[in-house]
Amino acid sequence: MTDTTSATVSDTTVTTSTVAGGGEPTVEPAAVVFDVADLDVYYGAFRAVRNVDLKVRQNEITAFIGPSGCGKSTVLRCFDRMNDLIDGCRVEGQLLYHGVDLYDSRIDPVEVRKRVGMVFQKPNPFPKSIYDNVAFGPRLAGKKGDLDETVERALRRAALWDEVKDRLRKSAMGLSGGQQQRLCIARAIAIDPEVVLMDEPCSALDPIATARIEDLMQEIKTDYTIIIVTHNMQQAARVSDRTAFFTTEVNEQSDTRTGLVVEFDETEKIFSNPADERTENYVTGRFG
Amino acid sequence: MSPVDSGSEGTPLRLNFTAELEQLRLQVEMMGVLVDHNLERMREVLRSGDFALAAEALRADDDIDAMNVSLTERCYEVLAREGPVASDLRLVVSVIRMTSELERIGDLALRVVKLAPAHDVLASNPRTFDILQTMADEAVDHFRMALRAWSGADLDLATGLATAPRTMDLHNEQLMQALVGLEGPDAVAVALRTLVAGQALERINDHAAILGARLRYLLTGDPDHLTAEVR
């Protein structure tokens, strides 16, 4: 754990310094939102993921791909400190959010989750009205009074407004799977997060609903930084700017498996000419 | 270039796809052999003016063209059905580009073959006729090198082809000098036909170098090798 900061995540003034200066005439890479270095995640004594190194950049879509059990979702959940909710889960190494140590003891996880929204694999709307689903986050954050504008803006941003504007007070459970997932995206962005985490957001959806979500991701990335875990490699190739390929290795003594990042690069590179043979074998689907 | 790399862990998957890619690779080699036969016929027709052999070459070129079409269609089908990526994608794209190069080389060989009726004219000037045959030898040699490089996935050979000194330019220069100095009533007739043959042979040689560049791209993924073109 780094111990460099007295700031909390709620200090909005903290910005990255990694792209400042340099004097390079080429296009500067986007600012670093999450800077992960040598990150290990343990469940009790078991090391689930080891030595993760990657930088998540602003207004980009970063995809995590890899076989089941390789730690993609485990690492994803570090970014909004959801792993805190799991007994015995421990995170070691560096995870900086705009230069601030996300696992510093002074950081309030609730504050983190205001900045970092999450969309899950299965659409999980609350058994409430469409309106109340979207208004839930802002209300929880203490927003009082008229939320109509907030709800409409979030639903428009999630490309759902035109489909639901006449039935906002009806139950969200009556929506189709694809609409429910877009509602969950609306709910995630209603609290104005900076980052949206998506854990296999399309795996329960048909191709048309999937295409809608993918279009939506492209559209909202101008405002948000997105990290997506996906088993659909074509999806990672289509939507993401950078891709991290995770895999597992067997631990000789205990016969358990630990996840690791084999390669992290621009998506185009990963799917056209990956540097590591393990990446090549995975993306070409040749070995399983 | 076995698709099943050594050092891979886990169970091999997508076996039909893997077999199809290997088939594509072999079919390119077979098409290359057909082109090679026709280059050999071209060389002999250039030397002897053999009409029967020229007719044989014309027929064989139809097979080359048909193979180009069928292989291209197979590649499109693989692209549509399998969504290849990484080295698989490079292979399919390379096959499409290689077959069109091979088809082009076949056409250029026919340009020389079609000069069979003018053989006596071509051969009437020993100096230029000699240079033409040297150029044909060199073009055929280069093409064979390209074919060997492809069948063995030989990066060194491919690099050698793409970066070989351009001796063909030298022959071409000698040919031009000889043609400019031609005199007599047949000078124009000899010059025109020799020029047609010389240009075709030079371009066959260029296309062989491009085959080398295509293979370098396939093997390395370095986009620099994508840009090689006949100038």
Side-chain angles (χ1 to χ4, degrees), chain A residues 234 271-274 277 280-281 283-288, chain B residues 5-6 8 11 13-14 18 21 85-88 90 220:
Chain A
Q234 296 288 347
F271 286 95
S272 65
N273 193 18
E277 197 190 345
E280 171 102 21
N281 284 335
V283 297
T284 58
R286 287 295 186 57
F287 291 90
Chain B
D5 303 307
S6 58
S8 305
T11 325
L13 297 170
R14 300 182 81 183
T18 306
L21 291 181
V85 295
S87 62
D88 295 344
R90 293 206 301 277
T220 64

Side-chain angles (χ1 to χ4, degrees), chain A residues 96-162:
Chain A
L96 302 182
Y97 172 66
H98 291 298
V100 176
D101 180 1
L102 210 54
Y103 278 82
D104 187 286
S105 57
R106 287 159 290 188
I107 298 290
D108 176 3
V110 174
E111 199 58 45
V112 174
R113 286 171 213 146
K114 276 191 207 160
R115 306 296 185 89
V116 183
M118 175 78 110
V119 175
F120 296 89
Q121 181 175 359
K122 265 192 78 180
N124 57 344
F126 304 128
K128 294 168 177 280
S129 72
I130 293 166
Y131 185 100
D132 286 342
N133 262 278
V134 182
F136 182 84
R139 279 181 187 142
L140 203 66
K143 239 180 144 177
K144 297 266 173 7
D146 190 8
L147 288 172
D148 289 1
E149 204 184 313
T150 307
V151 170
E152 179 174 341
R153 200 176 56 234
L155 284 170
R156 280 190 187 282
R157 209 75 190 92
L160 190 60
W161 174 252
D162 287 337

Side-chain angles (χ1 to χ4, degrees), chain A residues 64-69 72 200 229-235 282:
Chain A
F64 290 177
I65 61 169
S68 297
K72 310 177 292 285
E200 296 188 56
V229 167
T230 177
H231 272 132
N232 181 339
M233 279 185 286
Q234 296 288 347
Q235 179 170 64
Y282 185 75

Side-chain angles (χ1 to χ4, degrees), chain A residues 220-254:
Chain A
I220 66 174
K221 81 169 192 178
T222 52
D223 294 331
Y224 307 97
T225 300
I226 299 173
I227 309 176
I228 177 174
V229 167
T230 177
H231 272 132
N232 181 339
M233 279 185 286
Q234 296 288 347
Q235 179 170 64
R238 279 193 300 266
V239 303
S240 71
D241 301 289
R242 284 170 216 274
T243 297
F245 167 58
F246 287 68
T247 193
T248 57
E249 60 184 11
V250 180
N251 304 310
E252 296 288 333
Q253 289 94 6
S254 57

Side-chain angles (χ1 to χ4, degrees), chain B residues 12-228:
Chain B
L13 297 170
R14 300 182 81 183
L15 297 176
N16 286 334
F17 173 50
T18 306
E20 176 64 12
L21 291 181
E22 180 58 14
Q23 271 301 309
L24 284 177
R25 201 183 65 72
L26 284 172
Q27 294 288 327
V28 169
E29 200 173 316
M30 283 183 64
M31 186 174 167
V33 170
L34 291 186
V35 172
D36 185 57
H37 282 166
N38 249 14
L39 286 175
E40 200 50 68
R41 289 185 187 106
M42 171 201 78
R43 184 152 66 173
E44 182 54 28
V45 169
L46 178 66
R47 196 188 62 78
S48 67
D50 186 333
F51 262 56
L53 196 62
E56 219 176 274
L58 284 168
R59 278 195 302 277
D61 191 62
D62 290 343
D63 295 340
I64 294 170
D65 290 350
M67 208 160 170
N68 180 35
V69 172
S70 80
L71 270 176
T72 305
E73 282 173 352
R74 268 173 89 164
C75 287
Y76 289 168
E77 196 182 319
V78 169
L79 288 171
R81 294 166 69 107
E82 301 282 0
V85 295
S87 62
D88 295 344
L89 180 60
R90 293 206 301 277
L91 176 66
V92 178
V93 170
S94 297
V95 168
I96 293 172
R97 301 189 83 190
M98 295 286 283
T99 52
S100 86
E101 291 290 336
L102 291 172
E103 193 263 347
R104 189 85 196 103
I105 291 172
D107 288 350
L108 289 165
L110 284 200
R111 280 198 197 168
V112 179
V113 166
K114 283 175 180 166
L115 289 170
H119 177 259
D120 290 347
V121 181
L122 275 175
S124 67
N125 186 298
R127 169 80 182 126
T128 55
F129 191 55
D130 197 44
I131 297 174
L132 276 185
Q133 296 198 62
T134 308
M135 287 171 81
D137 289 343
E138 193 157 320
V140 173
D141 277 357
H142 267 160
F143 178 77
R144 290 212 171 126
M145 227 162 112
L147 201 53
R148 272 207 314 279
W150 175 265
S151 63
D154 187 331
L155 182 58
D156 290 342
L157 207 53
T159 307
L161 260 172
T163 59
R166 299 181 60 86
T167 47
M168 198 58 126
D169 289 352
L170 208 66
H171 300 316
N172 210 25
E173 187 59 31
Q174 288 169 344
L175 192 66
M176 290 306 146
Q177 277 170 9
L179 289 176
V180 166
L182 281 184
E183 282 176 2
D186 292 338
V188 173
V190 172
L192 282 177
R193 270 122 185 161
T194 304
L195 201 62
V196 168
Q199 278 184 343
L201 293 169
E202 189 197 8
R203 287 177 66 91
I204 289 172
N205 194 66
D206 287 344
H207 281 281
I210 288 173
L211 289 175
R214 300 272 180 269
L215 182 59
R216 279 173 106 187
Y217 173 69
L218 171 60
L219 295 177
T220 64
D222 183 346
D224 281 356
H225 305 315
L226 266 176
T227 52

Side-chain angles (χ1 to χ4, degrees), chain A:
Chain A
M1 280 287 137
T2 53
D3 191 19
T4 54
T5 176
S6 58
T8 67
V9 181
S10 55
D11 285 343
T12 50
T13 51
V14 183
T15 52
T16 178
S17 60
T18 51
V19 292
E24 289 231 329
T26 49
V27 181
E28 285 185 358
V32 174
V33 177
F34 290 111
D35 188 348
V36 185
D38 212 16
L39 188 84
D40 293 352
V41 184
Y42 290 83
Y43 294 117
F46 166 56
R47 186 161 68 162
V49 189
R50 72 168 176 85
N51 308 108
V52 176
D53 277 295
L54 50 88
K55 287 182 171 65
V56 175
R57 293 178 185 276
Q58 202 158 43
N59 301 120
E60 285 192 352
I61 300 176
T62 303
F64 290 177
I65 61 169
S68 297
C70 65
K72 310 177 292 285
S73 297
T74 298
V75 171
L76 189 76
R77 285 191 209 109
C78 292
F79 293 116
D80 69 348
R81 295 209 29 187
M82 281 239 304
N83 286 330
D84 294 17
L85 307 172
I86 299 168
D87 266 353
C89 183
R90 193 171 86 253
V91 175
E92 286 183 5
Q94 173 186 292
L95 204 177
L96 302 182
Y97 172 66
H98 291 298
V100 176
D101 180 1
L102 210 54
Y103 278 82
D104 187 286
S105 57
R106 287 159 290 188
I107 298 290
D108 176 3
V110 174
E111 199 58 45
V112 174
R113 286 171 213 146
K114 276 191 207 160
R115 306 296 185 89
V116 183
M118 175 78 110
V119 175
F120 296 89
Q121 181 175 359
K122 265 192 78 180
N124 57 344
F126 304 128
K128 294 168 177 280
S129 72
I130 293 166
Y131 185 100
D132 286 342
N133 262 278
V134 182
F136 182 84
R139 279 181 187 142
L140 203 66
K143 239 180 144 177
K144 297 266 173 7
D146 190 8
L147 288 172
D148 289 1
E149 204 184 313
T150 307
V151 170
E152 179 174 341
R153 200 176 56 234
L155 284 170
R156 280 190 187 282
R157 209 75 190 92
L160 190 60
W161 174 252
D162 287 337
E163 291 162 60
V164 301
K165 62 176 186 241
D166 298 325
R167 48 169 170 157
L168 291 174
R169 299 293 168 185
K170 298 249 169 70
S171 169
M173 307 314 279
L175 297 173
S176 73
Q179 288 172 326
Q180 286 186 8
Q181 194 61 305
R182 276 179 283 148
L183 178 68
C184 292
I185 293 173
R187 193 175 63 191
I189 62 185
I191 53 167
D192 252 338
E194 185 195 356
V195 181
V196 179
L197 308 177
M198 297 185 167
D199 196 350
E200 296 188 56
C202 301
S203 61
L205 304 182
D206 70 19
I208 292 169
T210 298
R212 283 227 175 86
I213 302 278
E214 288 179 5
D215 286 348
L216 177 60
M217 289 171 69
Q218 291 299 340
E219 212 188 297
I220 66 174
K221 81 169 192 178
T222 52
D223 294 331
Y224 307 97
T225 300
I226 299 173
I227 309 176
I228 177 174
V229 167
T230 177
H231 272 132
N232 181 339
M233 279 185 286
Q234 296 288 347
Q235 179 170 64
R238 279 193 300 266
V239 303
S240 71
D241 301 289
R242 284 170 216 274
T243 297
F245 167 58
F246 287 68
T247 193
T248 57
E249 60 184 11
V250 180
N251 304 310
E252 296 288 333
Q253 289 94 6
S254 57
D255 201 35
T256 53
R257 283 176 174 269
T258 295
L260 67 155
V261 175
V262 167
E263 193 168 348
F264 176 61
D265 210 327
E266 288 173 11
T267 298
E268 195 195 330
K269 175 86 165 58
I270 297 282
F271 286 95
S272 65
N273 193 18
D276 196 291
E277 197 190 345
R278 290 167 292 178
T279 315
E280 171 102 21
N281 284 335
Y282 185 75
V283 297
T284 58
R286 287 295 186 57
F287 291 90

